[in-house]
Amino acid sequence: MRTSQFFLSTLKEAPSEAELPSHKLMLRAGLIKKLGSGLYTWMPLGLRVLRKVEAIVREEMDKAGALELLMPAIQPAELWQESGRWAVFGPQMLKMKDRHERDFCFGPTHEEVITDIARSEIKSYKQLPLNFYQVQTKFRDEIRPRFGVMRAREFMMKDAYSFDVDAAGMAESYRKMHVAYSTIFTRLGLQFRAVKADSGAIGGDASQEFHVLADSGEDALAYCPTSDFAANVEAAEALAPAAPRAAASEALRDVDTPKQTTCEAVAALLDIPLQRTVKLIALVAGEQLQIVLLRGDHSLNEVKVGKLPGMADFRFASEEEIRAFFNCPPGFLGPVGIDRSRVRLIADRTVAAMSDFVVGANKPKFHTAGVNWGRDLPEADLVADVRNVVAGDASPDGKGVLEICRGIEVGHIFQLGTKYSQALSCNYLDAEGQLKPMEMGCYGIGVSRIVGAAIEQNFDEKGIKFSAAMAPFSVAIVPVGYQRSEAVKAAADALYAELKAQGVDVLLDDRDARPGSMFADMELIGIPHRVTVGDKSLAEGKVEYVARQDGNTELVAQADIVARLLGKLAQ
């Protein structure tokens, strides 16, 4: 492709609303253009990147035995009502009515649709296993679309769905998808990690997320460097302390804390470790007040709390509810002396093993020190893991300690079991003629999100650093004086023709522009290999080669440059 025949539109500065590097660079490089909140047009340059990602995804899905189809984006409400998700999926689902006042939604996912296909088309165990996939536009009405394609409302997704006769077959389909996903992200040149995850609104028995590792990632990931354990922090178990609870050694006493309303401030005032403080979090579930106790340096894991008995629909208590029960403002709340008949007390595992700790005194400007279970505070109604793990915690597999990194979720695979097949009567006849529900799995990849995640992992002050597998073009030829020097024009055209003949995706910058401007554009859009053709180097029979990843520059014999490029592209 020649730039004179292409649409290249770059910016020196990103729009002010862009926050993440990927958002800024995709706008600056002209990969995308904003239409509205969370809505982006993929421009010709960006679409080339997106199509390359799609191609690799399709190749590996096909190799894994999945069959491509394409389902409607608009789905009738009846299917979602039948599965029970129409009322519970949440406001992310964009609902609409047609001219006959019938309810529809713009599909955020397609479990219902594919299950409807399977129940009407698959009758016998002889037809199984099957795995269908599509690459299609999805819409989720994000409450706050941000970060460009990383959290857009409309996005491109690959979603696959497997159907098996039993749990063992479903586990094998799941394994194949895990292998396929690992291959996809490896081929795309991404540093990634597969982690145990919560199944969320999709449901099912088990799931794993695939995360591109990046400091800007929204998700915290816990992993053990001395074992294979890895999980999203929301799904990582925090083990109970190995040591038994120490005996009480301090007297119960109130301490004056006139302005200290946080555990950090109280610990600083009393000159004690933050780990000796305990915070109280007031929740409401089933119209009953629920008190959760966490160590001062720990944070609440809402996913874990929601899985406790009776806590599926919990919410945080309002200040009015807190004052009505404690007769005290937030910041000084504690569990000592409260009416336990009116509240359930949930203690995190770590707190249940503490002694001589500090909590709020339930009166303004005071905290209570020297608190001990049994002596000062009746044992908790429920002891559970309700916190996020932190670096240094014991790994749940017992093989070391955890470390924390950040990741961007780009894929998620689920073992659904019979959640949807039972709800939608998706059955098959087994060898004995018995009707049984199909075992299902589902597997999603955020195709458009991968582009943003890849940039978050690979950029510098000059712009994007795409891998060869994702770059809009593999090689850029930048002739200096193309319009003025016949020698430069002839050499550049010959190199361009030879690379094209070899099947290389090459861009010849034949614009009548300053060299610095052309170099800047090629670096900004992330083309991994650049060849500069100029009169000075040609006089020596050479051209200049620059690698975008490391910035290394070298002069290469004009006769050797094609072989050198082909060798690098084959790596």
Side-chain angles (χ1 to χ4, degrees):
M1 181 68 67
R2 295 172 180 266
T3 53
S4 58
Q5 299 169 341
F6 194 67
F7 185 81
L8 197 62
S9 176
T10 59
L11 301 171
K12 289 186 177 181
E13 300 292 335
S16 58
E17 75 269 12
E19 300 175 61
L20 288 185
S22 61
H23 192 190
K24 294 177 181 178
L25 289 171
M26 291 184 77
L27 289 170
R28 283 191 57 211
L31 301 182
I32 57 174
K33 297 293 181 185
K34 181 177 178 180
L35 174 64
S37 178
L39 302 172
Y40 292 89
T41 297
W42 286 82
M43 300 299 287
L45 193 71
L47 190 60
R48 291 181 70 89
V49 179
L50 192 64
R51 292 291 184 245
K52 289 191 173 184
V53 174
E54 285 183 36
I56 289 176
V57 169
R58 281 191 167 93
E59 286 172 14
E60 295 305 324
M61 292 301 295
D62 293 344
K63 287 180 185 177
L67 303 170
E68 187 172 7
L69 47 62
L70 184 61
M71 293 176 274
I74 304 300
Q75 305 177 22
E78 287 85 352
L79 278 177
W80 287 78
Q81 290 163 347
E82 191 176 350
S83 72
R85 289 206 300 173
W86 182 258
V88 301
F89 195 88
Q92 279 191 327
M93 182 192 288
L94 181 63
K95 297 178 180 179
M96 64 198 78
K97 291 181 181 292
D98 68 5
R99 67 177 65 193
H100 303 292
E101 292 298 306
R102 292 176 298 205
D103 288 316
F104 291 84
C105 70
F106 195 129
T109 185
H110 278 69
E111 283 82 11
E112 282 79 3
V113 177
I114 195 68
T115 306
D116 181 60
I117 292 171
R119 69 182 176 182
S120 62
E121 297 294 330
I122 302 172
K123 303 301 180 184
S124 168
Y125 72 96
K126 295 179 181 180
Q127 295 173 271
L128 298 172
L130 283 170
N131 190 339
F132 299 107
Y133 81 95
Q134 65 174 347
V135 179
Q136 192 225 43
T137 299
K138 297 284 193 293
F139 189 94
R140 295 180 186 173
D141 199 5
E142 295 282 352
I143 188 171
R144 188 188 164 206
R146 60 195 189 280
F147 307 150
V149 301
M150 299 286 284
R151 191 164 289 281
R153 293 196 291 170
E154 184 179 284
F155 55 95
M156 189 67 70
M157 181 178 178
K158 187 284 303 176
D159 47 320
Y161 307 89
S162 63
F163 297 86
D164 286 274
V165 297
D166 54 26
M170 184 263 290
E172 175 60 16
S173 295
Y174 184 90
R175 185 196 66 80
K176 288 180 180 178
M177 288 296 97
H178 190 289
V179 172
Y181 275 39
S182 297
T183 304
I184 287 167
F185 299 126
T186 299
R187 286 185 60 187
L188 290 171
L190 300 171
Q191 290 182 308
F192 69 95
R193 189 179 290 273
V195 303
K196 178 182 177 183
D198 178 70
S199 296
I202 302 299
D205 301 321
S207 72
Q208 285 176 289
E209 295 169 345
F210 288 77
H211 285 260
V212 169
L213 304 182
D215 292 338
S216 59
E218 286 187 283
D219 291 293
L221 311 178
Y223 69 98
C224 181
T226 56
S227 76
D228 294 330
F229 177 82
N232 193 304
V233 162
E234 69 182 15
E237 181 184 8
L239 300 180
R245 183 196 297 167
S249 62
E250 295 182 8
L252 187 70
R253 63 200 183 278
D254 284 350
V255 292
D256 189 16
T257 53
K259 298 180 180 178
Q260 288 70 29
T261 59
T262 65
C263 288
E264 290 81 3
V266 171
L269 178 69
L270 302 182
D271 194 24
I272 60 173
L274 181 58
Q275 290 83 350
R276 285 188 57 195
T277 66
V278 170
K279 54 191 170 187
L280 182 153
I281 301 173
L283 308 173
V284 175
E287 301 305 315
Q288 182 186 16
L289 191 66
Q290 316 272 341
I291 289 175
V292 176
L293 297 184
L294 282 182
R295 201 172 75 181
D297 61 327
H298 289 160
S299 58
L300 187 71
N301 186 310
E302 296 182 33
V303 172
K304 292 179 181 178
V305 172
K307 292 183 177 181
L308 297 179
M311 297 295 289
D313 298 314
F314 83 89
R315 61 176 173 82
F316 288 90
S318 66
E319 184 169 345
E320 292 75 14
E321 289 169 322
I322 290 171
R323 287 181 179 271
F325 181 84
F326 291 95
N327 193 28
C328 177
F332 302 97
L333 306 180
V336 178
I338 62 173
D339 182 358
R340 291 284 290 274
S341 67
R342 299 171 53 206
V343 66
R344 180 168 69 157
L345 180 59
I346 303 168
D348 179 66
R349 289 171 173 174
T350 304
V351 175
M354 292 175 66
S355 57
D356 297 328
F357 51 90
V358 177
V359 297
N362 286 328
K363 54 183 177 181
K365 302 182 180 181
F366 283 93
H367 279 71
T368 301
V371 178
N372 285 272
W373 293 101
R375 186 192 73 182
D376 314 308
L377 181 62
E379 297 293 341
D381 299 305
L382 176 64
V383 175
D385 171 24
V386 292
R387 70 173 176 90
N388 289 322
V389 294
V390 295
D393 279 342
S395 177
D397 63 3
K399 298 180 180 180
V401 297
L402 296 178
E403 295 185 11
I404 307 295
C405 64
R406 306 297 300 183
I408 301 167
E409 183 189 343
V410 291
H412 203 156
I413 58 178
F414 301 82
Q415 294 186 28
L416 295 176
T418 58
K419 172 182 170 68
Y420 294 94
S421 54
Q422 286 188 329
L424 295 168
S425 299
C426 182
N427 303 310
Y428 72 96
L429 288 174
D430 68 8
E432 284 72 43
Q434 299 296 311
L435 207 59
K436 290 185 177 179
M438 298 179 205
E439 292 278 345
M440 292 177 58
C442 76
Y443 319 93
I445 285 182
V447 176
S448 51
R449 198 173 212 226
I450 285 174
V451 180
I455 296 170
E456 289 296 325
Q457 193 177 81
N458 299 282
F459 72 94
D460 60 16
E461 69 281 355
K462 295 178 181 179
I464 302 166
K465 298 167 75 172
F466 276 126
S467 66
M470 291 182 64
F473 298 95
S474 301
V475 176
I477 301 173
V478 181
V480 178
Y482 183 84
Q483 308 292 344
R484 298 182 297 278
S485 169
E486 286 299 324
V488 167
K489 186 176 187 301
D493 286 345
L495 177 58
Y496 175 66
E498 191 170 355
L499 288 172
K500 285 192 67 177
Q502 293 288 340
V504 176
D505 210 359
V506 58
L507 178 67
L508 172 61
D509 196 344
D510 58 353
R511 295 176 295 175
D512 187 15
R514 292 178 292 104
S517 176
M518 293 191 290
F519 294 154
D521 278 348
M522 296 305 109
E523 289 169 336
L524 173 62
I525 64 180
I527 298 178
H529 306 285
R530 190 182 84 213
V531 178
T532 303
V533 181
D535 281 321
K536 185 177 180 181
S537 59
L538 285 177
E540 302 174 9
K542 296 179 179 181
V543 293
E544 182 184 76
Y545 166 75
V546 180
R548 179 70 183 92
Q549 284 292 337
D550 55 24
N552 287 343
T553 301
E554 58 179 312
L555 290 175
V556 179
Q558 192 176 355
D560 298 336
I561 187 61
V562 172
R564 176 70 66 87
L565 289 169
L566 293 177
K568 289 186 175 295
L569 291 172
Q571 292 177 355

